[in-house]
Amino acid sequence: MTVSGSDHWDRIWAHSSGEKSGDLDEEIFRALRGSVDFTGRSLLELGCGRGTLGRFALEQGAGRVTLLDRSAEALAVARKVLAGCDQVSFVQADVLSLDLGRKFDLVLSSGLLEHFRGEEQIRCLKAHADHAAEKVVVIVPATPHWNEFHCRTGRFRATYGYERPISIRRMSALFAAAGLTPVLMRRFFPLYNVGLYWSLPRTGLPPLDRFLDRKSAKLDAWATKRGLRRLVNAALRPLEGVTGGLLIAVGRAGSGE
């Protein structure tokens, strides 16, 4: 069961400008570009957030994109990001009780499956499979990686609620339970969520913790702005199959070719 409900995510998205998050988007776009052919295909994105993956899919030639999220605030941000695009539909719904009455060529999610556990995680992935005519594409935090530790910190849980990284072995088992045939499972982006802000332990002294939060966030922003994170990530890229912090998993639906 997820820890964070729609009210929590509404509060998170209410403060979002919809701007791209830089390296994270670039790395996810790179993984998608090398793994999926969007040309002419209909796409359903579950847990769409601000809709940047849907926009990327359209830039890559997707025919029609449907963006779905449980949070009304997330969809409001997505509408701003994709303003003026008549190839997009928006749906507010809960993925665990989803029945859109039709299938899409591709069903995609990024940053969704890891927020569920147990039977609900299988139900979430089955919602992907049940609406896919060709393929399902899932992007989640990978393990073993720093992900396994930082997602258990108090500051992370307060922001993102329950989240657990998923190994390739676990994803393979989930695919089997959802009736998906694995096509690709590959780790990427070694520096995903690696930074001082998430790494520093809490002291329990509020003034000191706030000071450390500000300083570590500024240092992380400085390293990103100067391109240092990008340089280190590029150096680690030959080893990203082992060190990657994200996992892209592509599965063929039952009727897909």
Side-chain angles (χ1 to χ4, degrees):
M1 183 177 182
T2 54
V3 171
S4 300
S6 56
D7 289 346
H8 173 87
W9 290 106
D10 279 344
R11 290 192 294 272
I12 295 295
W13 287 112
H15 299 289
S16 173
S17 65
E19 295 176 356
K20 292 179 65 174
S21 60
D23 290 355
L24 176 58
D25 281 323
E26 291 178 11
E27 290 295 324
I28 291 177
F29 293 171
R30 181 178 66 88
L32 287 171
R33 192 178 297 115
S35 308
V36 187
D37 181 8
F38 291 100
T39 307
R41 286 168 167 79
S42 59
L43 171 71
L44 169 65
E45 185 184 356
L46 302 178
C48 68
R50 56 204 164 87
T52 56
L53 297 188
R55 184 176 65 184
F56 170 80
L58 289 169
E59 292 171 353
Q60 295 298 303
R64 180 83 191 176
V65 171
T66 299
L67 300 180
L68 182 146
D69 205 289
R70 188 171 60 168
S71 166
E73 291 291 345
L75 291 173
V77 175
R79 285 188 173 93
K80 292 178 182 178
V81 170
L82 288 133
C85 180
D86 59 6
Q87 294 172 268
V88 182
S89 301
F90 301 90
V91 177
Q92 184 178 2
D94 186 340
V95 69
L96 294 182
S97 56
L98 189 62
D99 184 3
L100 297 180
R102 59 162 295 195
K103 290 183 181 288
F104 302 78
D105 296 329
L106 303 173
V107 177
L108 164 69
S109 73
S110 177
L112 176 65
L113 193 62
E114 68 270 20
H115 291 288
F116 297 90
R117 50 184 151 186
E119 186 61 30
E120 286 193 345
Q121 194 169 58
I122 296 174
R123 285 172 57 197
C124 179
L125 189 56
K126 280 186 65 66
H128 292 64
D130 290 345
H131 288 83
E134 293 183 12
K135 290 179 181 178
V136 166
V137 185
V138 178
I139 297 173
V140 297
T143 187
H145 188 264
W146 172 242
N147 290 324
E148 191 67 35
F149 302 98
H150 94 274
C151 72
R152 298 175 186 269
T153 64
R155 75 184 71 186
F156 186 90
R157 291 196 304 269
T159 304
Y160 297 110
Y162 175 85
E163 179 178 314
R164 288 295 180 272
I166 300 176
S167 67
I168 290 178
R169 181 177 180 180
R170 170 63 178 166
M171 186 64 79
S172 297
L174 289 171
F175 267 40
L180 294 167
T181 302
V183 174
L184 170 73
M185 291 198 185
R186 180 173 63 83
R187 293 175 60 171
F188 67 102
F189 197 10
L191 292 189
Y192 173 69
N193 268 345
V194 174
L196 283 175
Y197 180 80
W198 298 114
S199 304
L200 290 177
R202 307 291 283 185
T203 67
L205 301 173
L208 180 56
D209 285 335
R210 287 193 295 269
F211 173 80
L212 292 174
D213 283 350
R214 290 195 301 271
K215 292 300 183 182
S216 59
K218 286 183 178 180
L219 282 172
D220 285 341
W222 178 85
T224 298
K225 186 176 181 180
R226 296 296 187 279
L228 298 180
R229 284 177 55 84
R230 186 172 297 179
L231 286 173
V232 174
N233 196 68
L236 292 173
R237 191 160 288 162
L239 301 174
E240 69 176 355
V242 176
T243 64
L246 289 175
L247 169 66
I248 181 169
V250 181
R252 189 167 55 248
S255 60
E257 295 298 329

